[in-house]
Amino acid sequence: MFTIEHGYDATTVTLVDDGESPLREDVIINTFEDCITVTQFDPSTDSAQQVTLSLAQLRDLSAALDLPEGVYQIRPEEG
């Protein structure tokens, strides 16, 4: 299950782990104009852990989900 909320400066997607136990904490993804943040509560440290990705890193991650093992570089399309 997931939710999508549009705010003034960000779109927030929350991924809820509603599968079989053991369940993981929700993952919160905030999309800004120039980056995205991925946040998840870590019960072992009792704090939220956050990762910030550039839009280029997000593009590469999206492409990587459908590719086999290897090293890749996305090049701009030629005119």
Side-chain angles (χ1 to χ4, degrees), residues 14-73:
T14 302
L15 307 175
V16 179
D17 190 4
D18 58 350
E20 298 293 320
S21 293
L23 300 178
R24 301 289 182 180
E25 297 291 330
D26 295 353
V27 174
I28 301 167
I29 303 166
N30 285 298
T31 306
F32 299 96
E33 185 176 318
D34 60 344
C35 68
I36 69 158
T37 61
V38 180
T39 307
Q40 186 176 40
F41 182 76
D42 181 357
S44 66
T45 62
D46 197 32
S47 64
Q49 305 298 315
Q50 181 172 294
V51 175
T52 301
L53 300 171
S54 70
L55 298 180
Q57 288 173 312
L58 178 62
R59 178 205 63 213
D60 291 350
L61 174 60
S62 177
L65 294 175
D66 294 325
L67 293 171
E69 183 176 345
V71 177
Y72 300 90
Q73 179 179 19

Side-chain angles (χ1 to χ4, degrees), residues 2-14:
F2 62 93
T3 65
I4 301 172
E5 299 172 59
H6 298 292
Y8 172 72
D9 64 345
T11 295
T12 301
V13 176
T14 302

